[in-house]
Each structure stands twice: as structure tokens, then as C-alpha cells.
């Protein structure tokens, strides 16, 4: 054992320079921003022992290379480079779990969050006044002037919706700027969704009001370089998270998306069947098979873009995945018919039997797709 980490050496904290604060910065294509942020942290955190962990999802602009360069000059800087994964929430979670300070902050790399608030936030945690401190745009003194009216409107609507649905009490549960006691976070971590981007909302909803929370106002600035990574898909992610939390995680975000995609498949199937029968004059069996095949294909494509966005198959893997998906769904169809049949046998109510079969089918397809089509590397 290294001498310095042997217990009983007195002030170990100082001897090996354990940080008081870990700043976690998720990055995707932020190569022009990270060095500036690092310098700003250095200025803002004078007198505090700190570390910064950048969690980069293998950015095409090689942000990780810039971070590695910083890390070679300053041991307080670290880079977690994730390969084959995407997602803001997942990156924040991994960053916090990789940190060693008793308190961890999360902030954007693009200087939209006000790093000069960090000492104040840390003091609130250290004094025990709070277990979670949120940098808030929506309390007295805070603002989000840099938002255009469309985004401001969406943000306000989503905030109100989430607060009502989940009984969240804070003013800005959508903020991407917060600081938390690491031990408390670690307790919650296994229940958090790695998909999506609303990590704070997830933390607050999962904690069920058990985290003593204080909000400090700050002004949400304009992004320095590059562009926002939040696209139109975030609305869907957000709805999924609210529903999942609303059902106490009985229904996961991924399952919901999968089932929704399955629902669209029904329309694709019927549409194809209709065209094949009436326009192409195909016999019913062929038309039905074409419908099923088309629906499976569009389901696969949608799931690859939506449900498994963070594990999207690319290149040759798409073909392999599609074939595996056909196979999974074919067995799913047998399971569907089997269950429907046995329900109908006992209780000849057509819609009950049909629904039970469909339920069996979607659960089977979901479970098996996770294992054989979009399996975690
Ligand atoms: N590792 C990783 N993986 N980082 C990501 C990813 C990802 O998939 N997507 C985005 N990031 C990083 C960005 O590089 C940036 O540092 C930070 O996460 C936030 O992304 P932005 O693209 O800057 O988002 P924004 O400024 O539009 O949204 C901000 O405000 C929202 C509130 O309106 C973020 O702070 C959100 O978290 C926040 O909810
Ligand atoms: Mn940003």
C-alpha cells in the first residue's frame, strides 16, 4: 500500500491533496471552449482544492485531445473518453461517479454557466445548509436572456409540466448547472436514467423530496463557441423521463419509446396491407407478409434512431441488427399468438385476448432486442 494512503497518517486530506470539489463537465464537440473554461475555473476556485473531470463522448472535433493536453500540464484535470456511447445524462453520471471529492458540480463546457457561483454553492453544501444546490435561472436575480422566444416558451412549459406531474418543488429543475453531495448522489445513481439530458430533474424526482435543496440565481449566458447539442429529440426524451418517473420507474423511458414505435408499426402494417391489396392486387397472404416485413423494417429504423439513439448501430452492424430484429420479432409474433390463444381459450373475449397477446409480443420484442440487437458493448 502506498504510504500516503495508509490510514492513520493524520491529515491525509492535505497530504495527498484530496479535492474539496470535483467539477464534472460533459463535452461533445467543445474543443474551442474547454481551455477557456479551465482557466476560468482556475480563477474562480482560488483557495479551494478542486479537480475537473471532462467526460467526452469521443467528439469528432477531438475535444478529448485538448483535455488530455491540459491534463498533462495540470494533475487536477482529467478526461473520461467514452467510446460507443452518447448522452448528456449518462456522461454526467459517469463523471460524478469517477470523482473523489465530497461534493460534485455539473456544468456546461460552453461558458453558459457562471463559474463564479461555485464557491458560494460549495459553501452551502459544506455548511450543511444544503445537500443539493441548483444554479437557477428562474429565481429572483437569475435569468435566461440568451434564449430565443421559442426556446424560452418551451422551457417554461416543460418546467411547469414537470413540476406538476412529479411534484418537484424547485423553480428550475431543468437547469444543467448544479452541485451535489457525492454520497447522496451515489445512493441515487443506480435509479437514474442515462438517456436524455434532464439529469437534475431526474435526481430531484428520484430523491422524492429527500434532498435538502437550495437554489442560487445566475444568468444563463450565451454559448461561446460551437452550437447547442440539444435537438428536437429532447422534447421526446423529456416526456419519456416524466412518464417514467411518474410511474415510479415501472415503465422505463426506453420501453415507452419502444412501445410507441411499435404503435407506429401497426399503422405502417395496415397501410402496406391496404396498398398491396387494393393497388397491387396481391393475394392476402402475400400482402399481409409484406405489411409485416415493412412494419418490422420501419420499427427497426425508428428504434435505431430513437429508442437506442445512444447505442445506434452504424455501417455493417445495421444489416446484422436488422436480421436479428426480424428474427426476434418473428418469435415475438409466435409468443403473441400463443398467449392470445390461451387467454381466448379460457375467456373468449376477443379484445382481452388480443391485448394480452400484443402485450406479450411487445415485452418479448423489447427484452430480446436489448439482448440481441442493441446489446451493450
Ligand atoms: N459527453 C457528452 N455527451 N456531452 C454532451 C452531450 C453528449 O451526448 N450532449 C451535450 N453535451 C455537453 C455539451 O458539450 C455541453 O458542454 C453540455 O453538455 C450542455 O450541452 P449544450 O449543447 O450546451 O446544451 P444547451 O446549452 O442547449 O442546454 C443547457 O441548458 C439546458 C437548460 O435549458 C444544458 O445545460 C442543459 O443541461 C440544460 O437542461
Ligand atoms: Mn450550453
Amino acid at each position: 500500500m502506498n504510504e500516503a494512503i495508509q490510514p492513520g497518517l493524520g491529515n491525509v486530506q492535505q497530504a495527498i491533496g484530496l479535492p474539496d470539489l470535483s467539477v464534472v463537465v460533459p463535452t461533445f464537440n467543445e474543443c474551442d471552449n474547454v481551455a477557456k473554461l479551465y482557466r476560468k475555473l482556475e480563477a474562480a476556485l482560488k483557495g479551494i482544492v478542486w479537480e475537473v473531470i471532462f467526460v467526452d463522448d469521443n467528439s469528432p472535433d477531438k475535444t478529448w485531445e485538448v483535455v488530455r493536453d491540459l491534463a498533462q500540464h495540470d494533475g487536477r484535470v482529467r478526461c473520461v473518453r467514452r467510446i460507443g456511447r452518447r448522452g448528456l445524462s449518462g456522461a454526467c453520471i459517469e463523471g460524478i461517479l469517477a470523482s473523489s471529492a465530497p461534493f460534485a458540480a455539473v456544468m456546461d463546457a460552453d461558458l453558459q454557466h457562471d463559474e463564479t457561483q461555485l464557491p458560494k454553492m460549495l459553501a452551502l453544501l459544506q455548511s450543511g445548509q444544503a445537500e443539493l444546490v441548483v444554479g437557477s435561472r428562474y429565481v429572483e436575480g437569475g435569468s435566461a436572456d440568451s434564449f430565443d422566444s421559442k426556446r424560452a416558451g418551451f422551457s417554461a412549459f416543460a418546467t411547469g409540466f414537470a413540476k406538476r406531474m412529479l411534484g418537484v418543488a424547485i423553480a428550475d429543475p431543468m437547469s444543467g448547472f448544479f452541485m451535489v453531495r457525492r454520497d447522496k448522489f451515489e445512493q441515487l445513481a443506480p435509479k437514474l436514467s442515462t438517456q436524455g439530458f434532464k439529469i437534475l430533474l431526474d435526481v430531484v424526482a428520484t430523491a422524492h423530496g429527500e434532498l435538502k435543496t437550495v437554489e442560487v440565481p445566475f444568468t444563463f449566458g450565451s454559448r461561446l463557441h460551437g452550437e447547442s447539442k440539444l435537438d428536437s429529440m429532447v422534447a421526446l426524451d423529456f416526456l419519456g423521463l416524466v412518464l417514467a418517473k411518474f410511474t415510479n420507474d415501472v415503465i422505463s423511458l426506453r420501453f415507452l419509446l419502444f412501445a410507441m414505435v411499435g404503435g407506429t408499426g401497426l399503422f405502417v402494417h395496415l397501410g402496406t396491407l391496404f396498398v398491396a391489396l387494393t393497388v397491387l392486387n396481391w393475394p392476402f397472404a402475400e400482402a399481409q407478409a409484406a405489411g409485416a416485413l415493412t412494419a418490422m423494417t420501419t420499427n427497426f429504423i425508428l428504434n435505431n434512431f430513437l429508442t437506442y439513439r445512444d447505442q445506434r448501430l452504424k455501417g455493417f452492424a445495421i444489416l446484422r441488427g436488422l436480421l436479428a430484429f426480424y428474427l426476434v420479432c418473428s418469435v415475438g409474433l409466435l409468443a403473441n399468438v400463443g398467449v392470445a390463444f390461451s387467454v381466448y381459450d379460457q375467456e373468449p373475449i376477443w379484445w382481452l385476448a388480443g391485448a394480452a397477446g400484443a402485450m406479450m409480443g411487445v415485452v418479448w420484442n423489447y427484452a430480446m432486442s436489448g439482448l440481441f440487437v442493441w446489446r451493450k458493448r
Side-chain angles (χ1 to χ4, degrees), residues 193 195-196 236-237 240-241 244 251-258:
S193 163
Q195 237 189 333
L236 203 85
D237 268 339
L241 177 64
I251 300 179
S252 81
L253 177 52
R254 226 193 268 285
F255 179 75
L256 271 171
L257 289 174
F258 193 88

Side-chain angles (χ1 to χ4, degrees), residues 84-85 194-195 254 308 310-311 369-377:
R85 272 174 295 169
T194 56
Q195 237 189 333
R254 226 193 268 285
Y308 289 96
D310 54 332
Q311 281 162 251
S369 292
L371 281 179
F372 297 112
V373 185
W374 290 277
R375 58 186 159 201
K376 279 228 174 354
R377 269 166 290 187

Side-chain angles (χ1 to χ4, degrees), residues 25-30 33 54-59 80 82 85-92 106-113 137-138 147 151 155 172-177 196-199 220-221 223 227-230:
V25 184
T27 57
F28 193 75
N29 287 346
E30 304 283 4
N33 292 326
F54 291 91
V55 186
D56 187 71
D57 288 357
N58 204 24
S59 296
V80 177
R82 306 199 305 166
R85 272 174 295 169
R86 262 307 295 278
L88 178 50
S89 289
C92 295
V106 170
M107 66 193 297
D108 281 14
D110 54 15
L111 309 189
Q112 285 190 288
H113 293 153
R137 299 161 294 178
Y138 302 136
F147 272 2
R151 186 158 169 185
S155 179
D172 193 1
M174 310 294 210
S175 176
F177 184 32
F197 68 110
K198 292 304 177 199
I199 172 137
F220 190 69
R223 160 176 275 279
E227 51 193 48
S228 171
K229 312 305 171 315
L230 304 190

Side-chain angles (χ1 to χ4, degrees), residues 165-167 188 190-193 201-210 239-253 256:
M165 286 281 285
L166 303 177
L188 298 172
K191 288 201 186 145
L192 300 177
S193 163
L201 176 63
D202 199 357
V203 164
V204 173
T206 305
H208 289 296
E210 300 277 292
L239 269 181
L241 177 64
V242 172
L243 285 172
K245 287 295 148 185
F246 186 68
T247 60
N248 248 321
D249 286 315
V250 174
I251 300 179
S252 81
L253 177 52
L256 271 171

Side-chain angles (χ1 to χ4, degrees), residues 339-360:
V339 166
F341 221 77
S342 75
V343 171
Y344 194 78
D345 212 31
Q346 299 193 3
E347 205 71 62
I349 307 173
W350 66 269
W351 56 265
L352 186 69
M359 196 56 131
M360 176 67 212

Side-chain angles (χ1 to χ4, degrees), residues 156-319:
F157 170 77
T159 303
F161 179 70
K163 282 166 73 172
R164 210 150 311 145
M165 286 281 285
L166 303 177
V168 165
I170 62 177
D172 193 1
M174 310 294 210
S175 176
F177 184 32
F178 62 92
M179 196 187 287
V180 65
R181 258 175 66 170
R182 200 174 45 81
D183 57 343
K184 294 281 173 188
F185 182 87
E186 220 144 333
Q187 280 170 11
L188 298 172
K191 288 201 186 145
L192 300 177
S193 163
T194 56
Q195 237 189 333
F197 68 110
K198 292 304 177 199
I199 172 137
L200 178 63
L201 176 63
D202 199 357
V203 164
V204 173
T206 305
H208 289 296
E210 300 277 292
L211 274 180
K212 215 194 300 171
T213 306
V214 172
E215 290 185 86
V216 299
F218 84 102
T219 301
F220 190 69
S222 301
R223 160 176 275 279
L224 184 61
H225 293 290
E227 51 193 48
S228 171
K229 312 305 171 315
L230 304 190
D231 53 17
S232 47
M233 293 295 192
V234 303
L236 203 85
D237 268 339
F238 167 71
L239 269 181
L241 177 64
V242 172
L243 285 172
K245 287 295 148 185
F246 186 68
T247 60
N248 248 321
D249 286 315
V250 174
I251 300 179
S252 81
L253 177 52
R254 226 193 268 285
F255 179 75
L256 271 171
L257 289 174
F258 193 88
M260 264 154 49
V261 168
T264 68
L266 182 65
F267 291 100
V268 172
H269 185 132
L270 292 178
T272 312
L273 184 62
F274 179 76
V275 170
L277 285 175
T278 61
V279 182
L280 305 173
N281 286 316
W282 286 13
F284 185 80
E286 273 91 333
Q288 169 73 356
L293 210 65
T294 314
M296 283 193 282
T297 310
T298 55
N299 278 5
F300 174 80
I301 295 169
L302 282 177
N303 278 324
N304 199 40
F305 273 98
L306 220 67
T307 318
Y308 289 96
R309 195 144 51 96
D310 54 332
Q311 281 162 251
R312 188 176 295 170
L313 302 175
K314 293 186 184 125
F316 186 69
I318 293 186
L319 199 64

